[in-house]
Amino acid sequence: MMQAVCVDVPGGPENLLLRSVPRPQPKDGEVLIKVHATALNRADLLQRRGLYPPPPGESDIIGLEVAGTVDTLGPGVKRGWKPDDRVMALLCGGGYAEYVAVPEQLLMHVPPNLTLCQAAAIPEAWLTAFQLLVFVAQVKEGEVVLAHAGASGVGTAAVQLVRLFGAVPVVTAGSPEKLKMAESLGAAAGFNYKEESFAQGVHDFTGGKGANVILDCVGGSNWEQNVSSLAVDGRWVLYGTLGGRAVEGDLLGKLLSKRGHLLCSLLRSRSLQYKADLVEAFSQTVLPHFSEQGAFLTPVIDSTFNLESVAEAHRHMEANKNTGKIVINTSGFSLKFVSGLTDKRRIHRESELHRESELHRDPHGHTSGLYGSTEHGHIYLSGTVPAACLCAR
């Protein structure tokens, strides 16, 4: 048996129930992972509400990504995985649990300089951003890429990937703090959609040429500004509809006048072979940049919660409070930040934080002193602590 978060009745965060369920058994070609951490995605909120069910035959437990260690190999595993290997994986479901069985093609080695909490923030967000930029938009060097929700998990990954590919990222976000964080990751410009026209900002930045690629998770409410922001022959990639699905007005006419391409993409419903190809391409071209000297790429962690506090984590995301990823730690040790990341280099202090915090535990196992104190299953930090999490390496 194992502990897992279940939803018996669709609804609010209060409907997330932690209980004992059967531990999955790895099938042919699968690896059983002992989960150390998972991470939230907007799709999790939709599934909890009954609006985004898992594909047929997949686990109905929420959770699209995990990091942990190899526990058991199923029959027919061919890729040399060994027990206790540190791995991260893309899932169709099942991440909010202590164990999950995953096709071996969807596993990736965790870079040696990252903790498992950091690694949990990579698979869904980074593979989504990579897919949108490379497989769908086919971004080219020197192009301008507008990424909406630039301080989200996908947004922070996209900014860094765009820079890696030699293109120019610009972003939208809803607060000065989120814009500042995106710019610290490499965004060349940022526009507060609550206070200004991002279309005008893109026009000013590009000298009237517009963005060659738009990564859009908003949809309906942004369509006019998106078309206005789009360069001639540009690619508008839709991967979410947080701003609604309905469109009123001359969308097709305006898009036609730009010779624009409207491309739509989802990841969860893709075939195993497609995902395997995506994981392989990402592992070859991007993953090494997480562990090179200077760590050019880094996952951005907003906060972590323990499994018992998953409802609070959902409320945190629904309130749009997060900058970067929200991590769920299944090993019972969690961290909640009082200030966000403003300098991506600070995240590399994570392992030092872990070791030093262990030196400041009281006899009851609570952490205090240098980095704050524990309360309600979280650790609240004071000062300018980096947005990373304390977790088993």
Side-chain angles (χ1 to χ4, degrees):
M1 301 295 284
M2 67 174 183
Q3 292 293 298
V5 176
C6 303
V7 180
D8 293 336
V9 179
E14 66 278 3
N15 289 19
L16 295 166
L17 307 173
L18 181 63
R19 65 164 175 254
S20 184
V21 301
R23 183 185 300 184
Q25 298 299 313
K27 301 174 185 176
D28 187 65
E30 290 187 339
V31 174
L32 184 68
I33 298 175
K34 179 175 175 55
V35 178
H36 288 248
T38 182
L40 265 66
N41 293 279
R42 290 281 172 181
D44 300 353
L45 310 185
L46 294 175
Q47 182 172 337
R48 189 202 70 221
R49 293 163 57 194
L51 302 177
Y52 192 38
E58 300 294 344
S59 173
D60 58 3
I61 296 172
I62 300 174
L64 299 178
E65 56 193 338
V66 295
T69 54
V70 171
D71 181 86
T72 307
L73 303 179
V77 170
K78 302 175 181 177
R79 299 195 173 196
W81 301 106
K82 301 184 300 297
D84 297 324
D85 279 351
R86 295 185 344 130
V87 295
M88 53 189 178
L90 181 70
L91 312 175
C92 285
Y96 289 18
E98 292 181 310
Y99 293 87
V100 65
V102 186
E104 66 169 332
Q105 303 97 309
L106 304 187
L107 268 63
M108 296 173 280
H109 285 287
V110 174
N113 59 312
L114 296 184
T115 68
L116 293 173
C117 274
Q118 286 177 303
I122 292 176
E124 178 70 18
W126 283 79
L127 285 168
T128 294
F130 180 76
Q131 176 206 19
L132 299 177
L133 290 167
V134 177
F135 282 33
V136 181
Q138 298 179 8
V139 67
K140 300 177 181 62
E141 186 174 353
E143 290 189 319
V144 175
V145 178
L146 170 62
H148 291 305
S152 66
V154 173
T156 54
V159 168
Q160 296 179 71
L161 288 174
V162 170
R163 283 293 187 193
L164 179 66
F165 300 145
V168 182
V170 297
V171 302
T172 64
S175 73
E177 294 77 19
K178 290 184 176 183
L179 291 175
K180 183 178 180 181
M181 198 278 295
E183 290 171 1
S184 77
L185 294 172
F191 315 108
N192 188 334
Y193 66 86
K194 293 181 179 180
E195 298 180 353
E196 60 182 318
S197 164
F198 69 79
Q200 186 61 53
V202 171
H203 277 279
D204 293 344
F205 179 80
T206 61
K209 294 180 179 179
N212 305 101
V213 175
I214 298 175
L215 303 185
D216 182 21
C217 58
V218 179
S221 62
N222 271 359
W223 82 262
E224 287 185 285
Q225 288 200 72
N226 276 335
V227 176
S228 178
S229 301
L230 195 65
V232 173
D233 295 318
R235 290 92 74 200
W236 170 12
V237 182
L238 180 69
Y239 69 101
T241 54
L242 294 174
R245 300 182 178 186
V247 171
E248 296 183 4
D250 187 22
L251 169 60
L252 296 180
K254 292 179 182 294
L255 193 60
L256 182 62
S257 69
K258 291 281 187 82
R259 300 197 303 268
H261 303 250
L262 178 56
L263 306 168
C264 302
S265 184
L266 295 172
L267 181 53
R268 188 183 193 184
S269 57
R270 299 278 192 175
S271 69
L272 175 58
Q273 186 59 57
Y274 180 96
K275 293 176 183 176
D277 292 343
L278 180 66
V279 167
E280 180 67 20
F282 181 85
S283 297
Q284 293 293 326
T285 62
V286 175
L287 202 54
H289 295 282
F290 285 94
S291 53
E292 287 182 345
Q293 187 174 6
F296 184 75
L297 301 178
T298 186
V300 178
I301 311 295
D302 172 82
S303 51
T304 75
F305 296 78
N306 58 32
L307 203 58
E308 293 80 6
S309 302
V310 65
E312 185 180 348
H314 274 232
R315 294 186 184 99
H316 188 67
M317 176 172 276
E318 287 183 325
N320 293 319
K321 293 180 178 179
N322 60 297
T323 298
K325 294 287 286 187
I326 300 170
V327 171
I328 303 296
N329 187 354
T330 62
S331 55
F333 185 55
S334 66
L335 170 63
K336 185 173 181 180
F337 294 95
V338 296
S339 60
L341 174 70
T342 57
D343 182 345
K344 81 176 213 176
R345 291 171 298 177
R346 294 180 184 174
I347 204 165
H348 303 300
R349 276 276 289 146
E350 179 184 2
S351 58
E352 284 79 6
L353 273 173
H354 186 202
R355 288 192 292 269
E356 292 173 27
S357 68
E358 290 296 315
L359 298 175
H360 290 78
R361 285 180 177 273
D362 66 23
H364 303 289
H366 298 146
T367 303
S368 61
L370 184 61
Y371 296 115
S373 59
T374 58
E375 180 182 356
H376 304 307
H378 302 292
I379 297 175
Y380 292 83
L381 302 183
S382 58
T384 56
V385 176
C389 59
L390 306 181
C391 186
R393 287 191 67 84

